[in-house]
Amino acid sequence: MLSDTTTIFKRPEALSDNITHYCPGCTHGVIHRLVAESIDELGLRERAVGVAPVGCSVLIYNYFNCDFLEAPHGRAPALATGFKRVRPDMIVFTYQGDGDLASIGMGEIVHAANRGEKFTVIFVNNAIYGMTGGQMAPTTMPGQRTTTSPMGRDVNLAGYPIRMAELLSTLRTPAFIARAAVHTPMHIVSAKKVIKKAFRLQKENKCFSLVEVLSTCPTNWGIAPFAATQWVASDMKPYYPLGIYKDPEREEA
Amino acid sequence: MAKKLMKGNEAIGEAAICAGAKNYFAYPITPQSEVAEYLCWRLPEVGGVFVQAESEVAVGNMLFGAAASGKRVFTTSSSPGISLMQEAISYMAGAHLPVVLINIMRGGPGLGGILPAQSDYFQATKGGGHGDYRVIVLAPSSVQEAVDLMILAFDLADKYRIPVMVIGDGMIGQMMESVEFPGKYREENNPDDYDWALTGAKNRPARITKSLFLDPQKLEDNSFALAEKAKKIKAVEVRYELYKVTEKNRILIAAYGTMARICQTAIDELETEGISVGLFRPITLFPFPEKEIYTEAAKKNIEAVLTIEMSVGQMVEDIERCVLGKKPVAFFGRTGGIVPSPNEVKDKIREILKKKK
């Protein structure tokens, strides 16, 4: 029985009480919260070190209540490798957008995953470069209009969007790789499960873990926030199927 | 401790362990790959970390991450590899992190060659990466000095929270000489001793290691803080060596690293011919011995300063800058992996003296 004063919802300890700079309808805030809740629930905050990317979430360290490193464009997995190798007792995670991870940082993410570095990657895929003003990303959908593909992404010139979860799953090294989305409450609940599992596997020193999260960018997509969530469902989800792509626990079974 | 005959590259690796640096990230490149080949088995023996990265870009950033931990970290590379690390060097400088980088220089630009050169002087001493920053640059001229300066490099990096670069050339890396290591090896640093290291936000506010300052005033403050640090370093960390500098010298040679040793041979040989030449050897290329080279060059007996480098002329600009027009500054250099011989040095000196008559 709940009394009048029972707390049923509060800010996770791993989040600071700053106001974020994200645009209305952007789901970075939701994803931050899921990461923070996972860290809290696993009791990892006091030994957590985050690695911030370049892009919209560049200021993530202002919103978390744990130690943070700010990386150059795309290099977060290299920084995380360096830190985690010399402090294997710490919990290290990177938080990267699609421009950061799938474009300029493709080399670092592939090799960190392939070495089986025991840190966690939260990969936020919103199919566009947000911070720099809406240019084409490696994850931009075919036909999607951006400031550098004003007629829509031409797959004959730019190729098809890169599916990072699938690509990294082809590596033989054991890892946990999943894709989730946060455009509906139901999906948020599912996303939390895989994010928490990614951190748990690191806590247990098991493997590299990466969760790709389909996210929204109403500002640069040029549509209203609710329409943006619908676009995730109608356009992104079919091309970027949700699910667990690689799981050391399943492989061991 | 007994002397050991060791290849320069291997001695550099052992010297780092000696300095308590057990965290090494690297990518192979000639002429310094033996450092990684040595440390890949030597580091595990002492409980250290070695990661062979996928690129020098990754190496630089692995150092960046590892350095934020408060432990001693380092890499070794050669010219094109150091170019790829410049991104991270700029970031580490901006974030005030201690790190040691060894550049066993080869000929450039571009892929260049694999033989010794000194053509990365500008890159090392004038910045290299983007932004207002300096790194400390040390230039050994023997394998023993490489060992000694490696140990100093880690101390300076720690003291000033700054990237320190040790620049040798392919010759230093590849030659074998007898070396002596200090009897007692240092213990690894304890990250808890530093108020900036990322050790987990337990019983303290969260710490951030960054070089991003969106507020222009804060960015300017950070740039001035870096400049202030450089000023302090310039005031107290200048190191140089004089060889056969006397009141009889007619020419003062300025040379560093391997080139300085070749000049010593030339100086010895000229001495037997009755020509008196002295050598000014900067050991710190940043901070450059500005006042010291001026003082030596300004002496009445000196007719000209001759800068000799394994490049088409880089340090010579610092020599000209510091001599302030007080004496003529001449230059002789070979590059592309060609090392000037003592005879070439002697010929150049004879040519200068002939013109003087």
Side-chain angles (χ1 to χ4, degrees), chain A residues 46 61 66-68 70 72 75 78-79 82-83 85-86 90 108 111 115, chain B residues 23 51 54 57 61-62 65 87 198-200 204 206-209 212:
Chain A
E46 290 177 345
Y61 44 73
C66 66
D67 283 358
F68 248 96
E70 166 55 35
R75 319 290 178 223
L79 273 82
F83 193 92
R85 287 288 186 115
V86 306
M90 303 282 279
E108 282 74 18
H111 287 279
R115 284 190 304 265
Chain B
N23 302 292
V51 180
E54 65 271 28
V57 175
N61 288 286
M62 286 178 187
E87 170 192 71
L198 303 187
T199 54
R204 63 157 173 80
R207 287 177 187 155
I208 303 166
T209 300
L212 175 71

PDB file of all heavy atoms in Angstrom, chain A residues 46 61 66-68 70 72 75 78-79 82-83 85-86 90 108 111 115, chain B residues 23 51 54 57 61-62 65 87 198-200 204 206-209 212:
ATOM      1  N   GLU A  46      29.470   5.577  -8.948  1.00  0.00           N
ATOM      2  CA  GLU A  46      30.714   6.045  -8.333  1.00  0.00           C
ATOM      3  C   GLU A  46      31.962   5.501  -9.009  1.00  0.00           C
ATOM      4  O   GLU A  46      33.073   5.888  -8.657  1.00  0.00           O
ATOM      5  CB  GLU A  46      30.710   5.694  -6.840  1.00  0.00           C
ATOM      6  CG  GLU A  46      29.696   6.537  -6.084  1.00  0.00           C
ATOM      7  CD  GLU A  46      29.604   6.190  -4.622  1.00  0.00           C
ATOM      8  OE1 GLU A  46      30.105   5.105  -4.237  1.00  0.00           O
ATOM      9  OE2 GLU A  46      29.033   6.982  -3.858  1.00  0.00           O
ATOM     10  N   TYR A  61      28.094  15.745 -20.522  1.00  0.00           N
ATOM     11  CA  TYR A  61      28.739  15.741 -19.190  1.00  0.00           C
ATOM     12  C   TYR A  61      28.098  16.745 -18.234  1.00  0.00           C
ATOM     13  O   TYR A  61      28.260  16.640 -17.034  1.00  0.00           O
ATOM     14  CB  TYR A  61      30.254  15.984 -19.303  1.00  0.00           C
ATOM     15  CG  TYR A  61      30.647  17.086 -20.259  1.00  0.00           C
ATOM     16  CD1 TYR A  61      30.445  18.427 -19.932  1.00  0.00           C
ATOM     17  CD2 TYR A  61      31.230  16.773 -21.483  1.00  0.00           C
ATOM     18  CE1 TYR A  61      30.801  19.435 -20.812  1.00  0.00           C
ATOM     19  CE2 TYR A  61      31.590  17.783 -22.378  1.00  0.00           C
ATOM     20  CZ  TYR A  61      31.371  19.113 -22.030  1.00  0.00           C
ATOM     21  OH  TYR A  61      31.719  20.104 -22.908  1.00  0.00           O
ATOM     22  N   CYS A  66      28.480  11.933 -13.024  1.00  0.00           N
ATOM     23  CA  CYS A  66      29.603  10.997 -12.914  1.00  0.00           C
ATOM     24  C   CYS A  66      30.764  11.597 -13.716  1.00  0.00           C
ATOM     25  O   CYS A  66      30.574  12.561 -14.453  1.00  0.00           O
ATOM     26  CB  CYS A  66      29.226   9.604 -13.435  1.00  0.00           C
ATOM     27  SG  CYS A  66      28.894   9.526 -15.195  1.00  0.00           S
ATOM     28  N   ASP A  67      31.955  11.038 -13.543  1.00  0.00           N
ATOM     29  CA  ASP A  67      33.126  11.574 -14.247  1.00  0.00           C
ATOM     30  C   ASP A  67      32.948  11.435 -15.760  1.00  0.00           C
ATOM     31  O   ASP A  67      32.318  10.477 -16.227  1.00  0.00           O
ATOM     32  CB  ASP A  67      34.394  10.838 -13.808  1.00  0.00           C
ATOM     33  CG  ASP A  67      34.862  11.308 -12.427  1.00  0.00           C
ATOM     34  OD1 ASP A  67      34.216  12.209 -11.852  1.00  0.00           O
ATOM     35  OD2 ASP A  67      35.871  10.765 -11.932  1.00  0.00           O
ATOM     36  N   PHE A  68      33.517  12.385 -16.500  1.00  0.00           N
ATOM     37  CA  PHE A  68      33.344  12.386 -17.961  1.00  0.00           C
ATOM     38  C   PHE A  68      34.592  12.860 -18.688  1.00  0.00           C
ATOM     39  O   PHE A  68      35.345  13.689 -18.185  1.00  0.00           O
ATOM     40  CB  PHE A  68      32.168  13.296 -18.362  1.00  0.00           C
ATOM     41  CG  PHE A  68      30.995  12.539 -18.915  1.00  0.00           C
ATOM     42  CD1 PHE A  68      29.932  12.182 -18.102  1.00  0.00           C
ATOM     43  CD2 PHE A  68      30.963  12.178 -20.259  1.00  0.00           C
ATOM     44  CE1 PHE A  68      28.846  11.475 -18.605  1.00  0.00           C
ATOM     45  CE2 PHE A  68      29.879  11.475 -20.767  1.00  0.00           C
ATOM     46  CZ  PHE A  68      28.818  11.110 -19.935  1.00  0.00           C
ATOM     47  N   GLU A  70      35.725  14.284 -22.628  1.00  0.00           N
ATOM     48  CA  GLU A  70      35.166  14.815 -23.879  1.00  0.00           C
ATOM     49  C   GLU A  70      36.101  14.427 -25.024  1.00  0.00           C
ATOM     50  O   GLU A  70      37.264  14.791 -25.024  1.00  0.00           O
ATOM     51  CB  GLU A  70      35.011  16.331 -23.765  1.00  0.00           C
ATOM     52  CG  GLU A  70      34.751  17.065 -25.065  1.00  0.00           C
ATOM     53  CD  GLU A  70      33.553  16.549 -25.835  1.00  0.00           C
ATOM     54  OE1 GLU A  70      32.573  16.149 -25.213  1.00  0.00           O
ATOM     55  OE2 GLU A  70      33.625  16.513 -27.077  1.00  0.00           O
ATOM     56  N   PRO A  72      37.411  13.849 -29.172  1.00  0.00           N
ATOM     57  CA  PRO A  72      37.335  14.442 -30.517  1.00  0.00           C
ATOM     58  C   PRO A  72      36.325  13.669 -31.375  1.00  0.00           C
ATOM     59  O   PRO A  72      35.923  12.560 -31.018  1.00  0.00           O
ATOM     60  CB  PRO A  72      38.744  14.254 -31.083  1.00  0.00           C
ATOM     61  CG  PRO A  72      39.616  13.904 -29.923  1.00  0.00           C
ATOM     62  CD  PRO A  72      38.722  13.246 -28.915  1.00  0.00           C
ATOM     63  N   ARG A  75      36.164   9.664 -31.986  1.00  0.00           N
ATOM     64  CA  ARG A  75      37.239   8.905 -31.319  1.00  0.00           C
ATOM     65  C   ARG A  75      36.864   8.351 -29.947  1.00  0.00           C
ATOM     66  O   ARG A  75      37.714   7.806 -29.249  1.00  0.00           O
ATOM     67  CB  ARG A  75      38.496   9.763 -31.169  1.00  0.00           C
ATOM     68  CG  ARG A  75      38.832  10.610 -32.358  1.00  0.00           C
ATOM     69  CD  ARG A  75      39.296   9.796 -33.552  1.00  0.00           C
ATOM     70  NE  ARG A  75      39.555  10.678 -34.664  1.00  0.00           N
ATOM     71  CZ  ARG A  75      39.195  10.446 -35.916  1.00  0.00           C
ATOM     72  NH1 ARG A  75      38.557   9.343 -36.239  1.00  0.00           N
ATOM     73  NH2 ARG A  75      39.475  11.309 -36.852  1.00  0.00           N
ATOM     74  N   ALA A  78      38.183   5.014 -28.908  1.00  0.00           N
ATOM     75  CA  ALA A  78      39.624   4.952 -28.631  1.00  0.00           C
ATOM     76  C   ALA A  78      39.909   5.490 -27.231  1.00  0.00           C
ATOM     77  O   ALA A  78      40.687   4.897 -26.474  1.00  0.00           O
ATOM     78  CB  ALA A  78      40.407   5.741 -29.682  1.00  0.00           C
ATOM     79  N   LEU A  79      39.264   6.583 -26.859  1.00  0.00           N
ATOM     80  CA  LEU A  79      39.441   7.113 -25.504  1.00  0.00           C
ATOM     81  C   LEU A  79      38.968   6.093 -24.470  1.00  0.00           C
ATOM     82  O   LEU A  79      39.630   5.866 -23.449  1.00  0.00           O
ATOM     83  CB  LEU A  79      38.656   8.417 -25.310  1.00  0.00           C
ATOM     84  CG  LEU A  79      39.374   9.699 -25.713  1.00  0.00           C
ATOM     85  CD1 LEU A  79      39.271   9.916 -27.201  1.00  0.00           C
ATOM     86  CD2 LEU A  79      38.826  10.911 -24.981  1.00  0.00           C
ATOM     87  N   GLY A  82      41.501   3.351 -24.122  1.00  0.00           N
ATOM     88  CA  GLY A  82      42.657   3.777 -23.331  1.00  0.00           C
ATOM     89  C   GLY A  82      42.333   3.793 -21.847  1.00  0.00           C
ATOM     90  O   GLY A  82      43.076   3.257 -21.023  1.00  0.00           O
ATOM     91  N   PHE A  83      41.197   4.397 -21.520  1.00  0.00           N
ATOM     92  CA  PHE A  83      40.847   4.510 -20.100  1.00  0.00           C
ATOM     93  C   PHE A  83      40.566   3.149 -19.479  1.00  0.00           C
ATOM     94  O   PHE A  83      41.090   2.797 -18.427  1.00  0.00           O
ATOM     95  CB  PHE A  83      39.643   5.437 -19.906  1.00  0.00           C
ATOM     96  CG  PHE A  83      39.458   5.820 -18.467  1.00  0.00           C
ATOM     97  CD1 PHE A  83      40.031   6.971 -17.963  1.00  0.00           C
ATOM     98  CD2 PHE A  83      38.759   4.988 -17.601  1.00  0.00           C
ATOM     99  CE1 PHE A  83      39.901   7.301 -16.621  1.00  0.00           C
ATOM    100  CE2 PHE A  83      38.615   5.303 -16.252  1.00  0.00           C
ATOM    101  CZ  PHE A  83      39.193   6.473 -15.767  1.00  0.00           C
ATOM    102  N   ARG A  85      41.448   0.160 -20.398  1.00  0.00           N
ATOM    103  CA  ARG A  85      42.600  -0.735 -20.303  1.00  0.00           C
ATOM    104  C   ARG A  85      43.460  -0.422 -19.077  1.00  0.00           C
ATOM    105  O   ARG A  85      44.003  -1.329 -18.466  1.00  0.00           O
ATOM    106  CB  ARG A  85      43.461  -0.655 -21.562  1.00  0.00           C
ATOM    107  CG  ARG A  85      42.837  -1.322 -22.771  1.00  0.00           C
ATOM    108  CD  ARG A  85      42.836  -2.833 -22.655  1.00  0.00           C
ATOM    109  NE  ARG A  85      42.368  -3.442 -23.881  1.00  0.00           N
ATOM    110  CZ  ARG A  85      43.138  -4.217 -24.664  1.00  0.00           C
ATOM    111  NH1 ARG A  85      44.380  -4.500 -24.328  1.00  0.00           N
ATOM    112  NH2 ARG A  85      42.633  -4.728 -25.774  1.00  0.00           N
ATOM    113  N   VAL A  86      43.595   0.853 -18.754  1.00  0.00           N
ATOM    114  CA  VAL A  86      44.441   1.169 -17.590  1.00  0.00           C
ATOM    115  C   VAL A  86      43.648   1.157 -16.289  1.00  0.00           C
ATOM    116  O   VAL A  86      44.227   1.072 -15.215  1.00  0.00           O
ATOM    117  CB  VAL A  86      45.229   2.493 -17.753  1.00  0.00           C
ATOM    118  CG1 VAL A  86      46.036   2.473 -19.035  1.00  0.00           C
ATOM    119  CG2 VAL A  86      44.340   3.713 -17.698  1.00  0.00           C
ATOM    120  N   MET A  90      36.996   0.267 -13.531  1.00  0.00           N
ATOM    121  CA  MET A  90      35.997   1.319 -13.703  1.00  0.00           C
ATOM    122  C   MET A  90      34.958   0.889 -14.751  1.00  0.00           C
ATOM    123  O   MET A  90      35.195  -0.026 -15.533  1.00  0.00           O
ATOM    124  CB  MET A  90      36.666   2.617 -14.169  1.00  0.00           C
ATOM    125  CG  MET A  90      37.753   3.124 -13.241  1.00  0.00           C
ATOM    126  SD  MET A  90      37.135   3.946 -11.770  1.00  0.00           S
ATOM    127  CE  MET A  90      36.794   5.560 -12.449  1.00  0.00           C
ATOM    128  N   GLU A 108      37.294   3.495 -35.358  1.00  0.00           N
ATOM    129  CA  GLU A 108      37.459   3.299 -33.911  1.00  0.00           C
ATOM    130  C   GLU A 108      36.412   2.336 -33.358  1.00  0.00           C
ATOM    131  O   GLU A 108      36.725   1.486 -32.532  1.00  0.00           O
ATOM    132  CB  GLU A 108      37.376   4.651 -33.180  1.00  0.00           C
ATOM    133  CG  GLU A 108      38.645   5.496 -33.262  1.00  0.00           C
ATOM    134  CD  GLU A 108      38.866   6.146 -34.614  1.00  0.00           C
ATOM    135  OE1 GLU A 108      37.894   6.245 -35.392  1.00  0.00           O
ATOM    136  OE2 GLU A 108      40.005   6.545 -34.909  1.00  0.00           O
ATOM    137  N   HIS A 111      37.075  -1.431 -34.566  1.00  0.00           N
ATOM    138  CA  HIS A 111      38.219  -2.089 -33.936  1.00  0.00           C
ATOM    139  C   HIS A 111      38.049  -2.260 -32.427  1.00  0.00           C
ATOM    140  O   HIS A 111      38.507  -3.250 -31.869  1.00  0.00           O
ATOM    141  CB  HIS A 111      39.508  -1.358 -34.293  1.00  0.00           C
ATOM    142  CG  HIS A 111      39.898  -1.599 -35.717  1.00  0.00           C
ATOM    143  ND1 HIS A 111      40.550  -2.735 -36.120  1.00  0.00           N
ATOM    144  CD2 HIS A 111      39.652  -0.883 -36.847  1.00  0.00           C
ATOM    145  CE1 HIS A 111      40.717  -2.703 -37.444  1.00  0.00           C
ATOM    146  NE2 HIS A 111      40.179  -1.592 -37.902  1.00  0.00           N
ATOM    147  N   ARG A 115      38.233  -5.886 -30.859  1.00  0.00           N
ATOM    148  CA  ARG A 115      39.169  -6.269 -29.785  1.00  0.00           C
ATOM    149  C   ARG A 115      38.406  -6.774 -28.566  1.00  0.00           C
ATOM    150  O   ARG A 115      39.004  -7.324 -27.652  1.00  0.00           O
ATOM    151  CB  ARG A 115      40.027  -5.055 -29.364  1.00  0.00           C
ATOM    152  CG  ARG A 115      41.143  -4.672 -30.328  1.00  0.00           C
ATOM    153  CD  ARG A 115      42.072  -3.630 -29.702  1.00  0.00           C
ATOM    154  NE  ARG A 115      41.347  -2.450 -29.274  1.00  0.00           N
ATOM    155  CZ  ARG A 115      41.195  -1.345 -30.001  1.00  0.00           C
ATOM    156  NH1 ARG A 115      41.748  -1.258 -31.189  1.00  0.00           N
ATOM    157  NH2 ARG A 115      40.514  -0.314 -29.543  1.00  0.00           N
TER     158      ARG A 115
ATOM    159  N   ASN B  23      51.856   1.983 -19.347  1.00  0.00           N
ATOM    160  CA  ASN B  23      50.682   1.975 -20.220  1.00  0.00           C
ATOM    161  C   ASN B  23      51.081   2.516 -21.580  1.00  0.00           C
ATOM    162  O   ASN B  23      51.333   3.708 -21.748  1.00  0.00           O
ATOM    163  CB  ASN B  23      49.560   2.801 -19.595  1.00  0.00           C
ATOM    164  CG  ASN B  23      49.203   2.264 -18.223  1.00  0.00           C
ATOM    165  OD1 ASN B  23      48.669   1.173 -18.092  1.00  0.00           O
ATOM    166  ND2 ASN B  23      49.549   3.013 -17.181  1.00  0.00           N
ATOM    167  N   VAL B  51      48.542  -2.005 -25.975  1.00  0.00           N
ATOM    168  CA  VAL B  51      47.505  -2.202 -26.988  1.00  0.00           C
ATOM    169  C   VAL B  51      48.083  -1.794 -28.340  1.00  0.00           C
ATOM    170  O   VAL B  51      48.585  -0.680 -28.498  1.00  0.00           O
ATOM    171  CB  VAL B  51      46.242  -1.351 -26.709  1.00  0.00           C
ATOM    172  CG1 VAL B  51      45.190  -1.585 -27.797  1.00  0.00           C
ATOM    173  CG2 VAL B  51      45.659  -1.678 -25.338  1.00  0.00           C
ATOM    174  N   GLU B  54      44.577   0.336 -34.067  1.00  0.00           N
ATOM    175  CA  GLU B  54      44.277   0.169 -35.487  1.00  0.00           C
ATOM    176  C   GLU B  54      44.874   1.284 -36.341  1.00  0.00           C
ATOM    177  O   GLU B  54      44.923   1.173 -37.562  1.00  0.00           O
ATOM    178  CB  GLU B  54      42.761   0.087 -35.710  1.00  0.00           C
ATOM    179  CG  GLU B  54      41.972   1.355 -35.365  1.00  0.00           C
ATOM    180  CD  GLU B  54      41.516   1.391 -33.920  1.00  0.00           C
ATOM    181  OE1 GLU B  54      42.185   0.776 -33.061  1.00  0.00           O
ATOM    182  OE2 GLU B  54      40.482   2.033 -33.641  1.00  0.00           O
ATOM    183  N   VAL B  57      45.794   7.503 -35.353  1.00  0.00           N
ATOM    184  CA  VAL B  57      44.708   8.360 -34.882  1.00  0.00           C
ATOM    185  C   VAL B  57      44.136   7.755 -33.596  1.00  0.00           C
ATOM    186  O   VAL B  57      43.923   8.445 -32.601  1.00  0.00           O
ATOM    187  CB  VAL B  57      43.599   8.486 -35.954  1.00  0.00           C
ATOM    188  CG1 VAL B  57      42.417   9.266 -35.414  1.00  0.00           C
ATOM    189  CG2 VAL B  57      44.143   9.156 -37.198  1.00  0.00           C
ATOM    190  N   ASN B  61      44.281   8.950 -29.384  1.00  0.00           N
ATOM    191  CA  ASN B  61      43.078   9.072 -28.562  1.00  0.00           C
ATOM    192  C   ASN B  61      43.018   8.041 -27.444  1.00  0.00           C
ATOM    193  O   ASN B  61      42.385   8.280 -26.417  1.00  0.00           O
ATOM    194  CB  ASN B  61      41.845   9.051 -29.463  1.00  0.00           C
ATOM    195  CG  ASN B  61      41.733  10.352 -30.240  1.00  0.00           C
ATOM    196  OD1 ASN B  61      41.382  11.378 -29.681  1.00  0.00           O
ATOM    197  ND2 ASN B  61      42.104  10.327 -31.511  1.00  0.00           N
ATOM    198  N   MET B  62      43.671   6.907 -27.621  1.00  0.00           N
ATOM    199  CA  MET B  62      43.800   5.963 -26.506  1.00  0.00           C
ATOM    200  C   MET B  62      44.654   6.613 -25.406  1.00  0.00           C
ATOM    201  O   MET B  62      44.353   6.498 -24.213  1.00  0.00           O
ATOM    202  CB  MET B  62      44.442   4.661 -26.971  1.00  0.00           C
ATOM    203  CG  MET B  62      43.493   3.796 -27.792  1.00  0.00           C
ATOM    204  SD  MET B  62      44.307   2.307 -28.378  1.00  0.00           S
ATOM    205  CE  MET B  62      43.038   1.637 -29.447  1.00  0.00           C
ATOM    206  N   GLY B  65      42.475   9.097 -23.534  1.00  0.00           N
ATOM    207  CA  GLY B  65      41.623   8.447 -22.538  1.00  0.00           C
ATOM    208  C   GLY B  65      42.429   7.951 -21.358  1.00  0.00           C
ATOM    209  O   GLY B  65      42.071   8.186 -20.188  1.00  0.00           O
ATOM    210  N   GLU B  87      45.907  15.513 -33.829  1.00  0.00           N
ATOM    211  CA  GLU B  87      44.557  15.822 -33.348  1.00  0.00           C
ATOM    212  C   GLU B  87      44.502  15.630 -31.827  1.00  0.00           C
ATOM    213  O   GLU B  87      44.160  16.533 -31.073  1.00  0.00           O
ATOM    214  CB  GLU B  87      43.556  14.878 -34.029  1.00  0.00           C
ATOM    215  CG  GLU B  87      42.165  14.934 -33.440  1.00  0.00           C
ATOM    216  CD  GLU B  87      41.281  13.789 -33.949  1.00  0.00           C
ATOM    217  OE1 GLU B  87      41.490  12.628 -33.573  1.00  0.00           O
ATOM    218  OE2 GLU B  87      40.379  14.081 -34.717  1.00  0.00           O
ATOM    219  N   LEU B 198      40.347  11.121 -13.372  1.00  0.00           N
ATOM    220  CA  LEU B 198      38.999  10.550 -13.326  1.00  0.00           C
ATOM    221  C   LEU B 198      39.061   9.227 -12.566  1.00  0.00           C
ATOM    222  O   LEU B 198      39.533   8.216 -13.089  1.00  0.00           O
ATOM    223  CB  LEU B 198      38.460  10.344 -14.744  1.00  0.00           C
ATOM    224  CG  LEU B 198      38.410  11.600 -15.617  1.00  0.00           C
ATOM    225  CD1 LEU B 198      37.690  11.304 -16.927  1.00  0.00           C
ATOM    226  CD2 LEU B 198      37.744  12.771 -14.897  1.00  0.00           C
ATOM    227  N   THR B 199      38.608   9.282 -11.343  1.00  0.00           N
ATOM    228  CA  THR B 199      38.700   8.103 -10.478  1.00  0.00           C
ATOM    229  C   THR B 199      37.332   7.655  -9.976  1.00  0.00           C
ATOM    230  O   THR B 199      37.234   6.787  -9.122  1.00  0.00           O
ATOM    231  CB  THR B 199      39.606   8.417  -9.261  1.00  0.00           C
ATOM    232  OG1 THR B 199      39.099   9.601  -8.629  1.00  0.00           O
ATOM    233  CG2 THR B 199      41.048   8.650  -9.682  1.00  0.00           C
ATOM    234  N   GLY B 200      36.275   8.280 -10.512  1.00  0.00           N
ATOM    235  CA  GLY B 200      34.916   7.949 -10.056  1.00  0.00           C
ATOM    236  C   GLY B 200      34.413   8.985  -9.064  1.00  0.00           C
ATOM    237  O   GLY B 200      35.132   9.351  -8.129  1.00  0.00           O
ATOM    238  N   ARG B 204      32.856  13.063  -3.875  1.00  0.00           N
ATOM    239  CA  ARG B 204      33.309  14.330  -4.494  1.00  0.00           C
ATOM    240  C   ARG B 204      32.436  14.610  -5.714  1.00  0.00           C
ATOM    241  O   ARG B 204      31.822  13.691  -6.258  1.00  0.00           O
ATOM    242  CB  ARG B 204      34.788  14.259  -4.889  1.00  0.00           C
ATOM    243  CG  ARG B 204      35.093  13.188  -5.947  1.00  0.00           C
ATOM    244  CD  ARG B 204      36.373  13.528  -6.694  1.00  0.00           C
ATOM    245  NE  ARG B 204      36.827  12.492  -7.591  1.00  0.00           N
ATOM    246  CZ  ARG B 204      36.353  12.258  -8.810  1.00  0.00           C
ATOM    247  NH1 ARG B 204      35.343  12.970  -9.282  1.00  0.00           N
ATOM    248  NH2 ARG B 204      36.846  11.304  -9.566  1.00  0.00           N
ATOM    249  N   ALA B 206      31.462  15.314  -9.628  1.00  0.00           N
ATOM    250  CA  ALA B 206      31.965  14.693 -10.862  1.00  0.00           C
ATOM    251  C   ALA B 206      33.037  15.580 -11.492  1.00  0.00           C
ATOM    252  O   ALA B 206      32.982  16.800 -11.394  1.00  0.00           O
ATOM    253  CB  ALA B 206      30.810  14.477 -11.833  1.00  0.00           C
ATOM    254  N   ARG B 207      34.022  14.934 -12.109  1.00  0.00           N
ATOM    255  CA  ARG B 207      35.081  15.678 -12.803  1.00  0.00           C
ATOM    256  C   ARG B 207      34.924  15.514 -14.306  1.00  0.00           C
ATOM    257  O   ARG B 207      34.531  14.456 -14.778  1.00  0.00           O
ATOM    258  CB  ARG B 207      36.461  15.141 -12.406  1.00  0.00           C
ATOM    259  CG  ARG B 207      36.871  15.532 -11.008  1.00  0.00           C
ATOM    260  CD  ARG B 207      38.223  14.909 -10.647  1.00  0.00           C
ATOM    261  NE  ARG B 207      38.511  15.164  -9.238  1.00  0.00           N
ATOM    262  CZ  ARG B 207      39.305  14.408  -8.493  1.00  0.00           C
ATOM    263  NH1 ARG B 207      39.909  13.366  -9.026  1.00  0.00           N
ATOM    264  NH2 ARG B 207      39.506  14.701  -7.220  1.00  0.00           N
ATOM    265  N   ILE B 208      35.284  16.560 -15.041  1.00  0.00           N
ATOM    266  CA  ILE B 208      35.192  16.517 -16.501  1.00  0.00           C
ATOM    267  C   ILE B 208      36.564  16.832 -17.096  1.00  0.00           C
ATOM    268  O   ILE B 208      37.197  17.814 -16.706  1.00  0.00           O
ATOM    269  CB  ILE B 208      34.158  17.545 -17.023  1.00  0.00           C
ATOM    270  CG1 ILE B 208      32.784  17.300 -16.394  1.00  0.00           C
ATOM    271  CG2 ILE B 208      34.074  17.489 -18.541  1.00  0.00           C
ATOM    272  CD1 ILE B 208      31.812  18.455 -16.581  1.00  0.00           C
ATOM    273  N   THR B 209      37.021  15.971 -17.998  1.00  0.00           N
ATOM    274  CA  THR B 209      38.258  16.244 -18.747  1.00  0.00           C
ATOM    275  C   THR B 209      37.841  16.683 -20.137  1.00  0.00           C
ATOM    276  O   THR B 209      37.270  15.892 -20.886  1.00  0.00           O
ATOM    277  CB  THR B 209      39.113  14.967 -18.857  1.00  0.00           C
ATOM    278  OG1 THR B 209      39.439  14.549 -17.535  1.00  0.00           O
ATOM    279  CG2 THR B 209      40.393  15.227 -19.632  1.00  0.00           C
ATOM    280  N   LEU B 212      36.720  21.571 -24.601  1.00  0.00           N
ATOM    281  CA  LEU B 212      35.623  22.351 -25.203  1.00  0.00           C
ATOM    282  C   LEU B 212      35.216  23.482 -24.264  1.00  0.00           C
ATOM    283  O   LEU B 212      34.879  23.225 -23.109  1.00  0.00           O
ATOM    284  CB  LEU B 212      34.414  21.452 -25.485  1.00  0.00           C
ATOM    285  CG  LEU B 212      33.153  22.149 -26.012  1.00  0.00           C
ATOM    286  CD1 LEU B 212      33.346  22.622 -27.444  1.00  0.00           C
ATOM    287  CD2 LEU B 212      31.936  21.242 -25.934  1.00  0.00           C
TER     288      LEU B 212
END
